[in-house]
Amino acid sequence: MPRIDRWVVKTLLSYLSLPEIANLYKDRIFTVNLSGASINDHYFLEFIEHQFALYQVPPQQICFEITETVAITNLEKAAEFIHSLKKLGCRFALDDFGKGMSSFSYLTTLPVDYLKIDGMFIKKMEKDSVSQGIVEGIYHIGKTMGLIVIAEYVETESIFNKVTDLGIDYGQGFHIERPNPLIPVVNY
């Protein structure tokens, strides 16, 4: 996985460094999912810092996503990794929150900017009041901590309306937009 993560980071930053692309996407934030293996790789942080120096992409444009499970597996290492890249200006999202061994106590240790509620709860909230209550609870804790809260799996108009009514900041899912290729299919 670290090899794939390295390829993704290098390819994205290389692409965003092209003048015509930099101007087109200058006000956008791009998210990159990272594997646990990359976070635990001693050289991965150095690799990312080198890529930012090489391609001169503003770190504020990049948000790295780590899953809750990865974060709590090695909480100290994840916190150090996040702190280091936040000093550069990168942002962080805690992905799939609620899926793993959720504990609100570790949220205070991880300096993330975004809290992404796991889609399992989002998709069930149409018919399950317990799932809706869990979503509401995660949302309120995220907002109390000053985090931007994102609902995953917004697949229907009904779910879109529910997360909007709750006040959740952003949604991710096919009802909002289907994924689009960023890089044209060419040998890049």
Side-chain angles (χ1 to χ4, degrees):
M1 284 296 224
R3 213 166 109 204
I4 294 171
D5 289 352
R6 285 173 184 258
W7 180 86
V8 170
V9 169
K10 181 177 182 167
T11 302
L12 177 62
L13 295 183
S14 171
Y15 181 71
L16 293 176
S17 72
L18 300 172
E20 65 276 13
I21 301 303
N23 289 331
L24 184 63
Y25 293 124
K26 67 182 172 202
D27 296 325
R28 304 266 175 106
I29 297 172
F30 296 87
T31 60
V32 176
N33 286 300
L34 297 179
S35 68
S38 290
I39 290 171
N40 290 313
D41 177 348
H42 300 295
Y43 302 105
F44 190 64
L45 177 60
E46 185 180 310
F47 169 80
I48 292 175
E49 292 170 338
H50 176 73
Q51 297 306 301
F52 277 115
L54 179 65
Y55 292 111
Q56 296 296 300
V57 171
Q60 297 78 6
Q61 281 191 275
I62 306 300
C63 175
F64 291 106
E65 292 188 15
I66 59 171
T67 64
E68 171 191 11
T69 306
V70 165
I72 62 176
T73 300
N74 192 341
L75 192 56
E76 188 176 319
K77 179 79 173 165
E80 286 174 23
F81 183 84
I82 294 169
H83 276 295
S84 295
L85 287 175
K86 282 187 66 92
K87 284 180 187 173
L88 287 180
C90 297
R91 301 171 196 210
F92 274 84
L94 189 59
D95 197 10
D96 296 337
F97 188 80
K99 186 176 190 172
M101 306 279 290
S102 293
S103 169
F104 294 117
S105 64
Y106 70 79
L107 277 176
T108 59
T109 305
L110 298 170
V112 296
D113 305 286
Y114 304 94
L115 185 62
K116 294 180 71 176
I117 302 172
D118 186 64
M120 169 183 66
F121 297 116
I122 301 297
K123 70 181 177 182
K124 288 182 181 177
M125 64 186 278
E126 283 182 295
K127 298 177 181 143
D128 180 17
S129 61
V130 173
S131 291
Q132 180 158 342
I134 290 169
V135 169
E136 290 174 13
I138 293 170
Y139 167 74
H140 288 297
I141 288 170
K143 294 315 288 179
T144 300
M145 294 180 66
L147 302 176
I148 295 169
V149 180
I150 302 169
E152 298 180 331
Y153 207 87
V154 179
E155 304 293 311
T156 67
E157 185 174 355
S158 172
I159 292 173
F160 178 82
N161 291 335
K162 282 189 173 285
V163 299
T164 301
D165 290 346
L166 286 174
I168 292 175
D169 301 296
Y170 293 98
Q172 175 183 343
F174 286 169
H175 179 72
I176 297 168
E177 183 75 42
R178 293 210 174 260
N180 294 301
L182 174 65
I183 301 172
V185 182
V186 294
N187 279 340
Y188 177 63

